[in-house]
């Protein structure tokens, strides 16, 4: 089927909600992509005149054509749909049932995820839908808990908010001017092609009038682009000047903070050095010169008490009978004997002086006057005469033994 307005309208009227029907019409439309701008205008007009369910099918058709164009890198329909897609989506969304609105939202979300349209065009589509949601008199929130596109608008910083409408206007104007200027230049080249046969004067005049009109429209659209771009540049320059002023203040503040930090670090080192000097002077045990130049006083050596042996107990027990003083010497290795009662035999060793043994025996048998036992002692009598004790207070048995010792009989 040849491309005509009636043929496009017939295809759009026969469009149904099945996937096969949408794909078939989309293929026919893309086959005539050189007429993309005219097809876009007829599509928008059909969408305005259709009921809500039919509008959803037309949105599905535009989605199929746009995605196929993006995949095949054919920009004809993307350029044709960009200036009108926001208005068309808002028209299909407004007044539709909640179910249809949710489906339209899903299509718009897919456009953002797959980057079908440029960001300014996508932002314009979502902004129009949000305006419709906010204008509802019922005040009810959408079933999904809010607009699907709230994140995109809220993610724009407040400083860049004034630039968003300027960028959207520029993008729209650039899309429109691109299509119109391309068509005007193509018509101009066709009419001035030397290989093209010259038509009759009336037809030639009509074509010239049509070319003049196309060139005027292209000039007007390009002028709008220039105007929009100048407005955006002015906004960017204001934003740039604001950031430059803020940058100057921040650089001054950075220098001030750096200077103060250096001063605080120097003061901290001085305080720590003072603390270390004080500790060095007070706590060093010997005199020396430290790294800070402070000399400590020498510490006196503590006095140590001399070791003294324990007192030696007197050999003679307290309260023992008094005898004439006798010389006491160190115990001899051959004249020692053990006292009874301490685990040693009560027998004198061979070669022991019997006089000493007899006296000790008498003392142990009769006891001391105070009832105390005598301590072990060893006495060296030498050449003394023990017979002089015979007339004393000694017992008769002891005296007899002493007398026998003084006159030994061989």
């Amino acid at each position: 089927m040849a491309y005509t307005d009636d043929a496009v309208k017939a295809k759009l009227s026969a469009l149904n909600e099945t996937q096969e029907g949408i794909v078939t019409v989309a293929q026919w439309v893309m086959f005539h992509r050189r007429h993309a701008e005219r097809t876009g205008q007829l599509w928008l007009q059909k969408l305005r005149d259709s009921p809500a369910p039919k509008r959803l099918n037309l949105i599905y058709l535009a989605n199929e054509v746009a995605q196929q164009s993006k995949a095949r890198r054919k920009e004809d329909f993307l350029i044709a749909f960009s200036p009108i897609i926001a208005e068309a989506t808002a028209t299909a969304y407004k007044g539709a049932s909640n179910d249809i609105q949710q489906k339209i939202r899903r299509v718009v979300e897919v456009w953002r995820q797959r980057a079908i349209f440029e960001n300014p065009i996508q932002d314009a589509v979502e902004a129009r839908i949000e305006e419709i949601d906010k204008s509802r008199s019922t005040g009810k929130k959408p079933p999904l808990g809010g607009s699907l596109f709230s994140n995109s608008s809220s993610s724009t910083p407040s400083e860049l908010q004034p630039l968003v409408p300027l960028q959207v206007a520029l993008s729209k104007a650039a899309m429109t001017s691109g299509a119109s200027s391309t068509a005007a230049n193509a018509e101009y080249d066709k009419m001035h092609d030397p290989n093209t046969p010259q038509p009759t004067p009336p037809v030639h005049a009509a074509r010239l009038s049509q070319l003049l009109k196309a060139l005027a429209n292209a000039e007007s659209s390009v002028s709008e682009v220039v105007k929009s771009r100048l407005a955006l540049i002015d906004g960017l320059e204001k934003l740039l000047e604001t950031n430059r002023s803020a940058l100057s203040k921040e650089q001054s503040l950075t220098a001030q903070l750096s200077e103060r930090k250096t001063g605080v670090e120097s003061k901290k080192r001085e305080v720590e050095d003072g603390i270390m000097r004080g500790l060095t002077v007070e706590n060093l045990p010997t005199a020396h010169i430290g790294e800070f130049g402070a000399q400590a006083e020498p510490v006196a050596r503590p006095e140590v008490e001399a070791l003294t042996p324990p007192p030696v107990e007197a050999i003679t027990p307290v309260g023992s009978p008094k005898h004439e003083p006798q010389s006491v010497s160190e115990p001899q290795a051959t004249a020692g004997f053990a006292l009874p009662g301490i685990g040693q035999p009560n027998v004198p060793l061979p070669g022991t002086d019997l006089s000493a043994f007899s006296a000790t025996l008498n003392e142990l048998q009769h006891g001391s006057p105070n009832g105390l036992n005598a301590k072990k002692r060893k006495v060296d009598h030498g050449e003394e005469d023990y017979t002089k004790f015979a007339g004393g207070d000694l017992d008769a048995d002891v005296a007899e033994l002493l007398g026998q010792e003084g006159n030994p009989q061989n």
Side-chain angles (χ1 to χ4, degrees):
M1 181 184 296
Y3 182 88
T4 60
D5 292 352
D6 294 337
V8 175
K9 292 178 181 180
K11 290 289 184 182
L12 297 177
S13 300
L15 185 65
N16 54 48
E17 59 183 3
T18 62
Q19 181 178 0
E20 182 180 359
I22 293 173
V23 171
T24 301
V25 176
Q27 291 177 351
W28 185 87
V29 169
M30 292 184 65
F31 179 78
H32 300 282
R33 62 176 181 272
R34 61 175 181 172
H35 303 289
E37 184 178 1
R38 180 60 182 170
T39 302
Q41 296 175 358
L42 296 174
W43 172 83
L44 178 60
Q45 185 63 40
K46 183 64 177 179
L47 188 142
R48 291 172 179 172
D49 299 337
S50 301
K54 190 68 174 181
R55 291 174 181 175
L56 178 61
N57 296 336
L58 292 172
I59 293 293
Y60 284 157
L61 175 63
N63 174 65
E64 180 67 19
V65 172
Q67 291 202 43
Q68 290 296 330
S69 299
K70 186 75 173 181
R72 298 178 184 181
R73 299 181 180 180
K74 304 295 184 180
E75 304 294 330
D76 305 80
F77 281 101
L78 293 177
I79 295 174
F81 281 137
S82 293
I84 61 175
I85 192 64
E87 179 184 356
T89 305
T91 302
Y93 187 84
K94 186 176 181 180
S97 64
N98 183 65
D99 182 55
I100 293 177
Q101 287 182 347
Q102 295 302 317
K103 293 178 180 180
I104 294 176
R105 286 183 181 183
R106 178 56 185 164
V107 172
V108 176
E109 187 177 2
V110 170
W111 291 347
R112 174 170 288 279
Q113 291 175 354
R114 300 182 181 181
I116 300 301
F117 298 99
E118 294 184 0
N119 288 334
I121 303 301
Q122 183 72 29
D123 293 340
V125 173
E126 296 172 359
R128 294 290 298 270
I129 293 179
E130 288 182 352
E131 290 176 1
I132 296 173
D133 290 336
K134 292 178 181 179
S135 63
R136 290 179 180 178
S137 58
T138 58
K140 295 181 181 180
K141 294 183 179 180
L144 293 182
S147 175
L148 296 175
F149 324 114
S150 57
N151 293 334
S152 61
S153 60
S154 60
S155 62
T156 304
S158 58
E159 295 81 3
L160 300 179
Q161 288 291 345
L163 301 178
V164 173
L166 298 178
Q167 182 62 50
V168 171
L170 175 60
S171 300
K172 290 181 179 180
M175 291 293 181
T176 305
S177 65
S180 59
S181 59
T182 300
N185 289 329
E187 187 68 21
Y188 180 85
D189 294 338
K190 182 179 178 180
M191 291 189 63
H192 290 78
D193 187 3
N195 297 326
T196 303
Q198 291 292 334
T200 59
V203 175
H204 192 198
R207 290 182 178 178
L208 290 175
S209 299
Q210 185 177 1
L211 176 61
L212 183 60
K213 183 179 180 181
L215 292 173
N217 291 335
E219 182 184 9
S220 177
S221 62
V222 174
S223 298
E224 289 295 328
V225 174
V226 173
K227 182 179 178 181
S228 300
R229 197 173 298 279
L230 289 175
L232 179 60
I233 291 174
D234 184 61
L236 291 172
E237 288 179 348
K238 291 180 180 179
L239 181 62
L240 181 61
E241 184 63 26
T242 302
N243 281 272
R244 284 177 177 172
S245 178
L247 177 62
S248 177
K249 294 180 181 179
E250 290 164 355
Q251 288 176 341
S252 300
L253 180 59
T254 301
Q256 181 184 13
L257 293 175
S258 179
E259 181 180 357
R260 291 183 176 181
K261 185 185 73 172
T262 304
V264 172
E265 290 178 349
S266 177
K267 185 66 177 178
K268 178 175 175 290
R269 285 195 297 269
E270 292 179 2
V271 174
E272 291 177 348
D273 292 346
I275 294 174
M276 296 303 297
R277 284 195 296 268
L279 292 176
T280 303
V281 172
E282 293 176 1
N283 298 334
L284 285 181
T286 58
H288 71 281
I289 298 178
E291 58 177 328
F292 300 105
Q295 183 173 1
E297 295 294 335
V299 180
R301 183 182 298 276
E303 294 183 1
V304 181
E305 184 180 359
L307 297 176
T308 57
V312 179
E313 187 177 0
I315 297 177
T316 304
V318 179
S320 62
K322 296 182 180 180
H323 302 282
E324 292 182 5
Q326 298 178 356
S327 61
V328 180
S329 61
E330 293 296 327
Q332 300 297 324
T334 62
F337 62 90
L339 296 179
I342 58 175
Q344 298 293 335
N346 191 11
V347 179
L349 298 175
T352 305
D353 193 352
L354 295 177
S355 62
F357 177 76
S358 299
T360 304
L361 180 61
N362 181 43
E363 194 172 300
L364 291 174
Q365 289 176 351
H366 298 280
S368 62
N370 296 331
L372 299 174
N373 295 328
K375 292 185 178 181
K376 177 184 177 182
R377 61 181 178 178
K378 300 177 183 179
V379 181
D380 185 9
H381 294 280
E383 300 297 332
E384 292 183 0
D385 187 6
Y386 292 99
T387 58
K388 63 180 179 179
F389 294 103
D393 296 333
L394 299 174
D395 293 338
D397 296 335
V398 176
E400 184 179 357
L401 290 174
L402 293 176
Q404 293 175 3
E405 183 179 3
N407 299 310
Q409 296 179 0
N410 298 329

